[in-house]
Amino acid sequence: MSRFDQHRIVPGAKLRLADHDPHGTPAFDGDKQEGKQRLAALNERLEELQEALYAEGKQRLLVVLQALDAGGKDGTIRAVFDGVNPQGVKVKCFKRPTELELAHDFLWRVHPHVPGNGEIAIWNRSHYEDVLVVRVHDLVPKAQWRRRYEHIAAFERLLADEGTVIRKFFLHISKDEQRERLQERIDNPKKRWKWNDGDLQERARWNDYQEAYEEAIVATSTEAAPWYVVPADRNWYRDLVISEVLVHTLEGMHIRLPEGDPDIAGTVVK
Ligand code: ATP
Ligand code: MG
């Protein structure tokens, strides 16, 4: 058990996001600078573990990132996977569904993006949008999205049973922090491209989203596919939590490097 496991939502537990301080750093005693040093060490470890996973070629890791707008999903991917060989990692962003995607069941578009042997897949948004934004905006009837919790749990169980390790992270920011970050997207010309007219409308539904997240996380945090509620107002702590959890997870996968041909020992390359 690592101290960072305190952010994991235990199956069957209740969840009130208001009880989780987005600004807190409870699993780490040091300050920002020490946190960044620790992160650098974890980056190196993650790089090694990813290479071993790839070399072994037998196991798979799926990382799901969910957050409200400006929650820091992009920054997390940059910081946590800094230095990791891009060849063994695939990132998929799930945006508003296309017409073709909407003409299928909600899991159709995500399944092709699960990791293969030796791969790490990172999902920036995911099938969870279909019980979050879809719920908040009534995009399908309630009876339909409610059933999706079970379908999601079953889908993730399928992946786990077939050898995919799954870790899901909700980047939990405060409403104040979101205001500052959105304002920055307006004020800073270099960040303006990130601005989206819909963001203010979404922000107005803040409480609805908190409720939708609470319910979705509780309904789908399982042993095989646990959710972590990550305090995300401080970027360095957010990155640290996710790196710690991923390194710990990969270490727990007991990756074995292929031994190679024993007869080549002692061979000199001329
Ligand atoms: P940032 O956090 O930087 O704002 P982003 O992930 O919000 O990045 P955007 O292009 O701004 O990226 O938004 C993607 C949008 O697509 C989100 O508003 C999200 O809710 C929406 N979306 C994703 N999946 C679905 C879905 N299944 N149905 C409806 N909308 C979806
Ligand atoms: Mg957005």
Side-chain angles (χ1 to χ4, degrees):
M1 275 286 271
S2 131
R3 281 180 74 187
F4 289 86
D5 279 335
Q6 66 184 276
H7 296 302
R8 187 162 67 92
I9 303 304
V10 176
K14 288 211 165 68
L15 171 65
R16 278 194 62 223
L17 286 172
D19 295 339
H20 292 247
D21 179 7
H23 209 67
T25 61
F28 189 68
D29 296 323
D31 60 12
K32 176 175 176 176
Q33 202 197 341
E34 288 160 320
K36 289 201 161 213
Q37 278 166 6
R38 172 86 192 126
L39 180 67
L42 288 165
N43 278 149
E44 276 182 35
R45 186 73 188 120
L46 192 65
E47 186 184 353
E48 275 171 18
L49 286 162
Q50 183 273 328
E51 187 172 306
L53 184 82
Y54 182 81
E56 181 198 50
K58 289 186 179 157
Q59 306 189 68
R60 319 155 191 160
L61 176 63
L62 172 61
V63 180
V64 173
L65 296 176
Q66 281 289 156
L68 294 182
D69 286 308
K73 294 179 275 85
D74 294 339
T76 299
I77 296 170
R78 246 191 343 261
V80 171
F81 291 90
D82 186 22
V84 174
N85 185 348
Q87 283 206 92
V89 178
K90 49 182 198 181
V91 181
K92 174 67 189 170
C93 299
F94 292 98
K95 303 282 184 185
R96 214 153 280 140
T98 63
E99 249 177 75
L100 181 67
E101 287 168 346
L102 284 172
H104 293 79
D105 68 84
F106 76 104
L107 292 172
W108 181 79
R109 74 167 176 160
V110 297
H111 206 160
H113 301 285
V114 299
N117 284 343
E119 285 177 343
I120 299 177
I122 305 162
W123 289 358
N124 181 336
R125 298 192 189 267
S126 64
H127 48 314
Y128 283 93
E129 292 295 326
D130 291 280
V131 289
L132 295 164
V133 63
V134 163
R135 164 187 177 155
V136 170
H137 290 285
D138 279 324
L139 301 181
V140 307
K142 183 171 182 183
Q144 191 178 348
W145 62 252
R146 286 207 73 83
R147 283 197 298 269
R148 290 180 173 174
Y149 295 139
E150 266 175 53
H151 295 308
I152 290 174
F155 171 63
E156 292 177 356
R157 198 165 59 244
L158 158 80
L159 296 182
D161 283 350
E162 296 284 324
T164 303
V165 173
I166 306 170
R167 294 293 179 267
K168 303 178 293 196
F169 300 94
F170 170 58
L171 313 184
H172 180 39
I173 55 168
S174 63
K175 200 171 176 190
D176 258 359
E177 181 67 26
Q178 190 196 46
R179 180 179 48 71
E180 275 176 34
R181 292 183 187 185
L182 290 178
Q183 191 66 52
E184 173 77 5
R185 290 183 181 186
I186 297 170
D187 297 345
N188 181 345
K190 285 198 180 136
K191 294 208 170 162
R192 209 164 284 159
W193 65 272
K194 284 193 175 188
W195 176 257
N196 196 320
D197 282 339
D199 288 355
L200 289 182
Q201 247 172 303
E202 295 304 296
R203 178 170 164 78
R205 308 296 298 270
W206 181 270
N207 291 340
D208 296 334
Y209 272 107
Q210 301 293 303
E211 207 180 306
Y213 267 105
E214 281 171 353
E215 213 181 316
I217 290 171
V218 165
T220 60
S221 200
T222 58
E223 286 297 337
W227 272 107
Y228 292 78
V229 171
V230 182
D233 275 6
R234 299 181 205 244
N235 296 350
W236 67 267
Y237 185 71
R238 167 200 79 198
D239 298 339
L240 188 59
V241 172
I242 296 174
S243 291
E244 285 278 359
V245 171
L246 293 181
V247 164
H248 202 78
T249 299
L250 284 160
E251 282 175 343
M253 288 164 72
H254 307 295
I255 302 166
R256 297 169 67 117
L257 281 180
E259 281 169 20
D261 179 358
D263 294 341
I264 61 164
T267 305
V268 179
V269 179
K270 291 193 180 133

